[in-house]
């Protein structure tokens, strides 16, 4: 499991290797551990997490069209960015990583003159949908 470096002073998540990174495990969970160390909680949060409690799926509280996969929002409004490892290569980030502000970047380039491709593979396990049958029965399910 790769571990990033968190730079709270410069609001950077620095990837330490190229290859695959899981948003929830390698970025979000590692950040939560980093916050607990020393006085790292003094920095603005790097992530927000939004998830649907699976026990509520049969409840009227869940709206039709709700994505049931956890979403991880990088706090780019307060400067947090992800920087790839210093070197030529490719990085794949797997999972629902989003920008808190769609007008601000998620990534910054390497410090050195490297060519590094970053791809994000967004997952979607399902969306709650409503459909009607010819018998007039309304069904709520996943797509």
């Amino acid at each position: 499991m790769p571990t990033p470096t968190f730079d709270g002073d410069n609001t950077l998540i620095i990837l330490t290797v190229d290859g695959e990174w899981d948003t929830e495990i390698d970025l979000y969970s590692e950040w939560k551990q980093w916050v607990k160390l020393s006085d790292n909680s003094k920095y603005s949060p790097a992530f927000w997490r939004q998830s649907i409690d699976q026990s509520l799926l049969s409840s009227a509280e869940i709206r039709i069209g709700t994505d049931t996969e956890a979403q991880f929002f990088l706090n780019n409004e307060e400067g947090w960015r992800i920087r790839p490892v210093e070197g030529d290569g490719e990085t794949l980030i797997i999972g629902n990583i989003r920008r808190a502000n769609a007008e601000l970047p998620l990534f910054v380039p390497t410090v050195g003159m490297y060519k590094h491709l970053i791809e994000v593979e967004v997952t979607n396990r399902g969306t709650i949908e409503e459909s009607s049958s010819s018998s007039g029965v309304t069904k709520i399910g996943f797509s």
Side-chain angles (χ1 to χ4, degrees), residues 74-130:
L74 184 72
N75 186 3
N76 61 350
E77 289 184 322
E78 295 193 41
W80 283 97
R81 307 287 190 272
I82 298 171
R83 189 173 75 200
V85 65
E86 290 294 311
D88 294 331
E90 294 182 10
T91 296
L92 175 63
I93 298 178
I94 301 170
N96 291 331
I97 189 166
R98 309 275 191 223
R99 297 176 288 176
N101 184 331
E103 295 179 13
L104 297 173
L106 187 62
F107 302 102
V108 293
T110 59
V111 174
M113 298 297 293
Y114 299 105
K115 293 181 182 176
H116 203 103
L117 174 67
I118 302 174
E119 293 184 82
V120 178
E121 183 178 292
V122 178
T123 60
N124 188 9
R125 291 191 184 156
T127 302
I128 299 172
E129 291 185 328
E130 181 177 29

Side-chain angles (χ1 to χ4, degrees), residues 52 57 59-68 126-131 138-143:
I52 301 299
L57 289 177
S59 168
E61 295 176 27
I62 301 298
R63 295 187 317 266
I64 303 305
T66 300
D67 187 345
T68 59
T127 302
I128 299 172
E129 291 185 328
E130 181 177 29
S131 63
T138 300
K139 298 179 180 178
I140 297 178
F142 295 96
S143 66

